[in-house]
Amino acid sequence: SQTIHQWPATLVQPVGSPLSLECTVEGTSNPNLYWYRQAAGRGLQLLFYSVGIGQISSEVPQNLSASRPQDRQFILSSKKLLLSDSGFYLCAWSSSAPGNTIYFGEGSWLTVV
Amino acid sequence: DAKTTQPPSMDCAEGRAANLPCNHSTISGNEYVYWYRQIHSQGPQYIIHGLKNNETNEMASLIITEDRKSSTLILPHATLRDTAVYYCISRPGASGTASKLTFGTGTRLQVTL
């Protein structure tokens, strides 16, 4: 069966510090991968998605970037965090087949102080 | 993607059926209706999806009207652990870039004793 893991689960970072959130998927190949963010009390916002290694599409302009160095690895990064980057970050995956269901990881809570 | 509208909140007594409505009057012919739920501080959990026929799985039933302009998610015997925010999402059935999920604000279901 397929599983998705992301880490760290929680982190507190000072303003201006870098960020790296990592996500890996097991049990499947060539998945579509996604990064979502959920600000406190808000809905989920799609940040990035990837349909293959090195292929990243950004949905909203922001202080963040994403990379996909391996088929089942998706990384969310920032060089200098802002207070507004605080939130709940979710990695997700789906197969590349039509009508594919998207499955989410456990999420990472980021607090920028 | 078609926009969906849901009531912001609902209550349900434990052991009773919870019926969560969703309006998707602008849904197009190739768009599926997906339901997810999110328990506080966790990633969204996939529940069920359908195109035009009613669907049932171990978690819930999905009833889609004949004109596909609305649907109802049914939790047959709600428990306290079903307390969560439930999201109804319409999404094209194609793969790749069209397979994104756009979340609204959902319905907060409170199951009470």
Side-chain angles (χ1 to χ4, degrees), chain A residues 4 6 16 25 27 29 32 39-40 42 46 48 50-52 62-63 68 79 84 88-89 92 94 96 98 101-102 113:
Chain A
I4 179 170
Q6 62 176 105
V25 179
S29 59
N32 293 335
R42 307 281 300 273
L46 178 63
F48 300 96
S50 171
V51 299
Q62 58 212 319
N63 185 41
R68 184 170 177 173
K79 292 183 179 178
S84 57
F88 189 43
Y89 288 83
S94 65
S96 55
T101 297
I102 294 179
V113 295

PDB file of all heavy atoms in Angstrom, chain A residues 4 6 16 25 27 29 32 39-40 42 46 48 50-52 62-63 68 79 84 88-89 92 94 96 98 101-102 113:
ATOM      1  N   ILE A   4       2.467   8.155   2.756  1.00  0.00           N
ATOM      2  CA  ILE A   4       3.090   9.460   2.584  1.00  0.00           C
ATOM      3  C   ILE A   4       3.547   9.948   3.943  1.00  0.00           C
ATOM      4  O   ILE A   4       2.818   9.813   4.927  1.00  0.00           O
ATOM      5  CB  ILE A   4       2.133  10.465   1.906  1.00  0.00           C
ATOM      6  CG1 ILE A   4       2.798  11.833   1.752  1.00  0.00           C
ATOM      7  CG2 ILE A   4       0.813  10.573   2.650  1.00  0.00           C
ATOM      8  CD1 ILE A   4       2.006  12.797   0.876  1.00  0.00           C
ATOM      9  N   GLN A   6       5.682  13.232   5.978  1.00  0.00           N
ATOM     10  CA  GLN A   6       6.305  14.537   5.900  1.00  0.00           C
ATOM     11  C   GLN A   6       6.868  14.903   7.272  1.00  0.00           C
ATOM     12  O   GLN A   6       6.337  14.496   8.299  1.00  0.00           O
ATOM     13  CB  GLN A   6       5.340  15.612   5.392  1.00  0.00           C
ATOM     14  CG  GLN A   6       4.129  15.868   6.247  1.00  0.00           C
ATOM     15  CD  GLN A   6       3.284  17.011   5.702  1.00  0.00           C
ATOM     16  OE1 GLN A   6       2.224  16.792   5.129  1.00  0.00           O
ATOM     17  NE2 GLN A   6       3.744  18.236   5.909  1.00  0.00           N
ATOM     18  N   GLY A  16      13.393  35.409   9.085  1.00  0.00           N
ATOM     19  CA  GLY A  16      14.656  35.518   8.363  1.00  0.00           C
ATOM     20  C   GLY A  16      15.442  34.227   8.268  1.00  0.00           C
ATOM     21  O   GLY A  16      16.438  34.163   7.536  1.00  0.00           O
ATOM     22  N   VAL A  25       6.925   9.746  -0.552  1.00  0.00           N
ATOM     23  CA  VAL A  25       5.828   8.825  -0.809  1.00  0.00           C
ATOM     24  C   VAL A  25       6.418   7.457  -1.060  1.00  0.00           C
ATOM     25  O   VAL A  25       7.439   7.336  -1.751  1.00  0.00           O
ATOM     26  CB  VAL A  25       5.000   9.276  -2.024  1.00  0.00           C
ATOM     27  CG1 VAL A  25       3.856   8.291  -2.296  1.00  0.00           C
ATOM     28  CG2 VAL A  25       4.446  10.671  -1.792  1.00  0.00           C
ATOM     29  N   GLY A  27       5.560   3.216  -2.074  1.00  0.00           N
ATOM     30  CA  GLY A  27       4.594   2.264  -2.602  1.00  0.00           C
ATOM     31  C   GLY A  27       3.981   2.645  -3.925  1.00  0.00           C
ATOM     32  O   GLY A  27       3.016   2.010  -4.364  1.00  0.00           O
ATOM     33  N   SER A  29       4.991   4.830  -7.966  1.00  0.00           N
ATOM     34  CA  SER A  29       6.016   5.489  -8.778  1.00  0.00           C
ATOM     35  C   SER A  29       5.364   6.571  -9.635  1.00  0.00           C
ATOM     36  O   SER A  29       4.184   6.489  -9.984  1.00  0.00           O
ATOM     37  CB  SER A  29       6.742   4.465  -9.664  1.00  0.00           C
ATOM     38  OG  SER A  29       5.822   3.820 -10.522  1.00  0.00           O
ATOM     39  N   ASN A  32       1.892  12.311  -8.784  1.00  0.00           N
ATOM     40  CA  ASN A  32       1.761  13.761  -8.741  1.00  0.00           C
ATOM     41  C   ASN A  32       1.923  14.165  -7.275  1.00  0.00           C
ATOM     42  O   ASN A  32       1.388  13.496  -6.384  1.00  0.00           O
ATOM     43  CB  ASN A  32       0.383  14.207  -9.243  1.00  0.00           C
ATOM     44  CG  ASN A  32       0.187  13.925 -10.720  1.00  0.00           C
ATOM     45  OD1 ASN A  32       1.144  13.837 -11.492  1.00  0.00           O
ATOM     46  ND2 ASN A  32      -1.064  13.774 -11.130  1.00  0.00           N
ATOM     47  N   ALA A  39      -3.657  28.451   6.601  1.00  0.00           N
ATOM     48  CA  ALA A  39      -3.475  29.429   7.657  1.00  0.00           C
ATOM     49  C   ALA A  39      -4.538  29.193   8.725  1.00  0.00           C
ATOM     50  O   ALA A  39      -5.556  28.560   8.485  1.00  0.00           O
ATOM     51  CB  ALA A  39      -3.586  30.838   7.088  1.00  0.00           C
ATOM     52  N   ALA A  40      -4.287  29.701   9.919  1.00  0.00           N
ATOM     53  CA  ALA A  40      -5.181  29.466  11.062  1.00  0.00           C
ATOM     54  C   ALA A  40      -6.605  29.882  10.713  1.00  0.00           C
ATOM     55  O   ALA A  40      -6.847  31.010  10.292  1.00  0.00           O
ATOM     56  CB  ALA A  40      -4.680  30.234  12.269  1.00  0.00           C
ATOM     57  N   ARG A  42      -8.464  29.068   8.282  1.00  0.00           N
ATOM     58  CA  ARG A  42      -8.733  29.254   6.854  1.00  0.00           C
ATOM     59  C   ARG A  42      -8.777  27.911   6.140  1.00  0.00           C
ATOM     60  O   ARG A  42      -8.431  26.869   6.679  1.00  0.00           O
ATOM     61  CB  ARG A  42      -7.620  30.124   6.247  1.00  0.00           C
ATOM     62  CG  ARG A  42      -7.372  31.448   6.958  1.00  0.00           C
ATOM     63  CD  ARG A  42      -8.373  32.507   6.590  1.00  0.00           C
ATOM     64  NE  ARG A  42      -8.387  32.825   5.186  1.00  0.00           N
ATOM     65  CZ  ARG A  42      -7.598  33.721   4.604  1.00  0.00           C
ATOM     66  NH1 ARG A  42      -6.692  34.355   5.314  1.00  0.00           N
ATOM     67  NH2 ARG A  42      -7.705  33.980   3.317  1.00  0.00           N
ATOM     68  N   LEU A  46      -3.530  25.688  -2.377  1.00  0.00           N
ATOM     69  CA  LEU A  46      -2.504  24.971  -3.117  1.00  0.00           C
ATOM     70  C   LEU A  46      -1.330  25.905  -3.402  1.00  0.00           C
ATOM     71  O   LEU A  46      -1.508  26.999  -3.935  1.00  0.00           O
ATOM     72  CB  LEU A  46      -3.072  24.423  -4.428  1.00  0.00           C
ATOM     73  CG  LEU A  46      -2.097  23.685  -5.336  1.00  0.00           C
ATOM     74  CD1 LEU A  46      -1.568  22.425  -4.657  1.00  0.00           C
ATOM     75  CD2 LEU A  46      -2.766  23.334  -6.663  1.00  0.00           C
ATOM     76  N   PHE A  48       2.129  24.504  -4.547  1.00  0.00           N
ATOM     77  CA  PHE A  48       2.921  23.943  -5.646  1.00  0.00           C
ATOM     78  C   PHE A  48       2.384  22.557  -5.997  1.00  0.00           C
ATOM     79  O   PHE A  48       1.841  21.870  -5.151  1.00  0.00           O
ATOM     80  CB  PHE A  48       4.396  23.775  -5.252  1.00  0.00           C
ATOM     81  CG  PHE A  48       5.088  25.041  -4.862  1.00  0.00           C
ATOM     82  CD1 PHE A  48       5.189  25.396  -3.530  1.00  0.00           C
ATOM     83  CD2 PHE A  48       5.649  25.871  -5.821  1.00  0.00           C
ATOM     84  CE1 PHE A  48       5.828  26.561  -3.147  1.00  0.00           C
ATOM     85  CE2 PHE A  48       6.292  27.043  -5.454  1.00  0.00           C
ATOM     86  CZ  PHE A  48       6.378  27.389  -4.114  1.00  0.00           C
ATOM     87  N   SER A  50       3.581  19.054  -8.715  1.00  0.00           N
ATOM     88  CA  SER A  50       4.622  18.506  -9.583  1.00  0.00           C
ATOM     89  C   SER A  50       4.121  17.217 -10.212  1.00  0.00           C
ATOM     90  O   SER A  50       3.616  16.343  -9.526  1.00  0.00           O
ATOM     91  CB  SER A  50       5.892  18.230  -8.769  1.00  0.00           C
ATOM     92  OG  SER A  50       6.825  17.513  -9.535  1.00  0.00           O
ATOM     93  N   VAL A  51       4.311  17.119 -11.524  1.00  0.00           N
ATOM     94  CA  VAL A  51       3.908  15.913 -12.233  1.00  0.00           C
ATOM     95  C   VAL A  51       5.100  15.034 -12.574  1.00  0.00           C
ATOM     96  O   VAL A  51       4.928  13.967 -13.169  1.00  0.00           O
ATOM     97  CB  VAL A  51       3.092  16.243 -13.494  1.00  0.00           C
ATOM     98  CG1 VAL A  51       1.807  16.985 -13.126  1.00  0.00           C
ATOM     99  CG2 VAL A  51       3.914  17.064 -14.468  1.00  0.00           C
ATOM    100  N   GLY A  52       6.311  15.461 -12.204  1.00  0.00           N
ATOM    101  CA  GLY A  52       7.486  14.644 -12.467  1.00  0.00           C
ATOM    102  C   GLY A  52       8.733  15.279 -11.876  1.00  0.00           C
ATOM    103  O   GLY A  52       8.710  16.435 -11.426  1.00  0.00           O
ATOM    104  N   GLN A  62       5.027  33.826  -3.878  1.00  0.00           N
ATOM    105  CA  GLN A  62       5.239  33.835  -2.441  1.00  0.00           C
ATOM    106  C   GLN A  62       6.716  33.721  -2.131  1.00  0.00           C
ATOM    107  O   GLN A  62       7.549  33.690  -3.032  1.00  0.00           O
ATOM    108  CB  GLN A  62       4.510  32.647  -1.830  1.00  0.00           C
ATOM    109  CG  GLN A  62       4.978  31.315  -2.417  1.00  0.00           C
ATOM    110  CD  GLN A  62       3.837  30.310  -2.451  1.00  0.00           C
ATOM    111  OE1 GLN A  62       3.060  30.209  -1.520  1.00  0.00           O
ATOM    112  NE2 GLN A  62       3.720  29.589  -3.534  1.00  0.00           N
ATOM    113  N   ASN A  63       6.981  33.610  -0.859  1.00  0.00           N
ATOM    114  CA  ASN A  63       8.328  33.545  -0.346  1.00  0.00           C
ATOM    115  C   ASN A  63       8.861  32.123  -0.303  1.00  0.00           C
ATOM    116  O   ASN A  63       9.904  31.868   0.277  1.00  0.00           O
ATOM    117  CB  ASN A  63       8.294  34.141   1.080  1.00  0.00           C
ATOM    118  CG  ASN A  63       9.648  34.245   1.688  1.00  0.00           C
ATOM    119  OD1 ASN A  63      10.606  34.611   1.022  1.00  0.00           O
ATOM    120  ND2 ASN A  63       9.752  33.899   2.968  1.00  0.00           N
ATOM    121  N   ARG A  68      11.796  18.899  -6.490  1.00  0.00           N
ATOM    122  CA  ARG A  68      11.513  17.465  -6.550  1.00  0.00           C
ATOM    123  C   ARG A  68      12.769  16.790  -7.084  1.00  0.00           C
ATOM    124  O   ARG A  68      12.890  16.504  -8.276  1.00  0.00           O
ATOM    125  CB  ARG A  68      10.320  17.171  -7.441  1.00  0.00           C
ATOM    126  CG  ARG A  68       9.916  15.703  -7.457  1.00  0.00           C
ATOM    127  CD  ARG A  68       8.593  15.529  -8.159  1.00  0.00           C
ATOM    128  NE  ARG A  68       8.214  14.115  -8.262  1.00  0.00           N
ATOM    129  CZ  ARG A  68       7.046  13.698  -8.711  1.00  0.00           C
ATOM    130  NH1 ARG A  68       6.130  14.589  -9.109  1.00  0.00           N
ATOM    131  NH2 ARG A  68       6.779  12.404  -8.772  1.00  0.00           N
ATOM    132  N   LYS A  79      14.290  30.709   1.784  1.00  0.00           N
ATOM    133  CA  LYS A  79      15.603  31.231   2.171  1.00  0.00           C
ATOM    134  C   LYS A  79      15.484  32.129   3.387  1.00  0.00           C
ATOM    135  O   LYS A  79      16.360  32.139   4.248  1.00  0.00           O
ATOM    136  CB  LYS A  79      16.218  31.999   1.007  1.00  0.00           C
ATOM    137  CG  LYS A  79      16.591  31.129  -0.176  1.00  0.00           C
ATOM    138  CD  LYS A  79      17.258  31.954  -1.272  1.00  0.00           C
ATOM    139  CE  LYS A  79      17.653  31.055  -2.432  1.00  0.00           C
ATOM    140  NZ  LYS A  79      18.277  31.841  -3.543  1.00  0.00           N
ATOM    141  N   SER A  84       4.295  35.899   8.018  1.00  0.00           N
ATOM    142  CA  SER A  84       3.105  35.448   7.291  1.00  0.00           C
ATOM    143  C   SER A  84       3.246  34.032   6.746  1.00  0.00           C
ATOM    144  O   SER A  84       2.283  33.472   6.233  1.00  0.00           O
ATOM    145  CB  SER A  84       2.807  36.403   6.134  1.00  0.00           C
ATOM    146  OG  SER A  84       3.926  36.491   5.265  1.00  0.00           O
ATOM    147  N   PHE A  88      -0.104  25.711   8.633  1.00  0.00           N
ATOM    148  CA  PHE A  88      -0.090  24.258   8.598  1.00  0.00           C
ATOM    149  C   PHE A  88       0.182  23.843   7.159  1.00  0.00           C
ATOM    150  O   PHE A  88      -0.588  24.159   6.256  1.00  0.00           O
ATOM    151  CB  PHE A  88      -1.460  23.747   9.080  1.00  0.00           C
ATOM    152  CG  PHE A  88      -1.552  22.277   9.318  1.00  0.00           C
ATOM    153  CD1 PHE A  88      -0.546  21.592   9.972  1.00  0.00           C
ATOM    154  CD2 PHE A  88      -2.676  21.567   8.919  1.00  0.00           C
ATOM    155  CE1 PHE A  88      -0.645  20.231  10.217  1.00  0.00           C
ATOM    156  CE2 PHE A  88      -2.792  20.205   9.158  1.00  0.00           C
ATOM    157  CZ  PHE A  88      -1.771  19.530   9.810  1.00  0.00           C
ATOM    158  N   TYR A  89       1.287  23.150   6.931  1.00  0.00           N
ATOM    159  CA  TYR A  89       1.696  22.780   5.585  1.00  0.00           C
ATOM    160  C   TYR A  89       1.429  21.297   5.354  1.00  0.00           C
ATOM    161  O   TYR A  89       1.808  20.448   6.169  1.00  0.00           O
ATOM    162  CB  TYR A  89       3.184  23.092   5.373  1.00  0.00           C
ATOM    163  CG  TYR A  89       3.431  24.577   5.279  1.00  0.00           C
ATOM    164  CD1 TYR A  89       3.570  25.354   6.435  1.00  0.00           C
ATOM    165  CD2 TYR A  89       3.503  25.221   4.045  1.00  0.00           C
ATOM    166  CE1 TYR A  89       3.769  26.713   6.356  1.00  0.00           C
ATOM    167  CE2 TYR A  89       3.714  26.578   3.955  1.00  0.00           C
ATOM    168  CZ  TYR A  89       3.844  27.319   5.116  1.00  0.00           C
ATOM    169  OH  TYR A  89       4.040  28.676   5.031  1.00  0.00           O
ATOM    170  N   ALA A  92       0.807  16.237  -0.314  1.00  0.00           N
ATOM    171  CA  ALA A  92      -0.188  15.292  -0.806  1.00  0.00           C
ATOM    172  C   ALA A  92       0.325  14.633  -2.076  1.00  0.00           C
ATOM    173  O   ALA A  92       1.215  15.153  -2.741  1.00  0.00           O
ATOM    174  CB  ALA A  92      -1.515  16.004  -1.066  1.00  0.00           C
ATOM    175  N   SER A  94      -0.965  11.940  -5.566  1.00  0.00           N
ATOM    176  CA  SER A  94      -1.978  11.189  -6.302  1.00  0.00           C
ATOM    177  C   SER A  94      -1.262  10.432  -7.412  1.00  0.00           C
ATOM    178  O   SER A  94      -0.152  10.784  -7.797  1.00  0.00           O
ATOM    179  CB  SER A  94      -3.032  12.125  -6.889  1.00  0.00           C
ATOM    180  OG  SER A  94      -2.453  12.979  -7.867  1.00  0.00           O
ATOM    181  N   SER A  96      -0.882   9.257 -11.343  1.00  0.00           N
ATOM    182  CA  SER A  96      -1.013  10.067 -12.551  1.00  0.00           C
ATOM    183  C   SER A  96      -2.176   9.600 -13.419  1.00  0.00           C
ATOM    184  O   SER A  96      -2.401  10.140 -14.489  1.00  0.00           O
ATOM    185  CB  SER A  96       0.289  10.024 -13.362  1.00  0.00           C
ATOM    186  OG  SER A  96       0.645   8.686 -13.638  1.00  0.00           O
ATOM    187  N   PRO A  98      -6.058   9.127 -14.711  1.00  0.00           N
ATOM    188  CA  PRO A  98      -7.210  10.030 -14.704  1.00  0.00           C
ATOM    189  C   PRO A  98      -8.150   9.743 -13.552  1.00  0.00           C
ATOM    190  O   PRO A  98      -8.315   8.593 -13.140  1.00  0.00           O
ATOM    191  CB  PRO A  98      -7.875   9.727 -16.056  1.00  0.00           C
ATOM    192  CG  PRO A  98      -6.798   9.174 -16.907  1.00  0.00           C
ATOM    193  CD  PRO A  98      -5.912   8.396 -15.979  1.00  0.00           C
ATOM    194  N   THR A 101      -7.441  10.006  -6.984  1.00  0.00           N
ATOM    195  CA  THR A 101      -7.728  10.559  -5.664  1.00  0.00           C
ATOM    196  C   THR A 101      -6.448  11.124  -5.066  1.00  0.00           C
ATOM    197  O   THR A 101      -5.367  10.553  -5.236  1.00  0.00           O
ATOM    198  CB  THR A 101      -8.300   9.474  -4.752  1.00  0.00           C
ATOM    199  OG1 THR A 101      -9.547   9.018  -5.313  1.00  0.00           O
ATOM    200  CG2 THR A 101      -8.556  10.006  -3.349  1.00  0.00           C
ATOM    201  N   ILE A 102      -6.555  12.243  -4.372  1.00  0.00           N
ATOM    202  CA  ILE A 102      -5.411  12.867  -3.723  1.00  0.00           C
ATOM    203  C   ILE A 102      -5.422  12.494  -2.247  1.00  0.00           C
ATOM    204  O   ILE A 102      -6.450  12.604  -1.583  1.00  0.00           O
ATOM    205  CB  ILE A 102      -5.446  14.390  -3.907  1.00  0.00           C
ATOM    206  CG1 ILE A 102      -5.256  14.727  -5.401  1.00  0.00           C
ATOM    207  CG2 ILE A 102      -4.374  15.071  -3.075  1.00  0.00           C
ATOM    208  CD1 ILE A 102      -5.293  16.197  -5.714  1.00  0.00           C
ATOM    209  N   VAL A 113       8.507  33.201  14.374  1.00  0.00           N
ATOM    210  CA  VAL A 113       8.455  34.152  15.496  1.00  0.00           C
ATOM    211  C   VAL A 113       9.462  35.293  15.300  1.00  0.00           C
ATOM    212  O   VAL A 113      10.391  35.181  14.502  1.00  0.00           O
ATOM    213  CB  VAL A 113       8.730  33.438  16.825  1.00  0.00           C
ATOM    214  CG1 VAL A 113       7.624  32.433  17.121  1.00  0.00           C
ATOM    215  CG2 VAL A 113      10.100  32.739  16.795  1.00  0.00           C
TER     216      VAL A 113
END
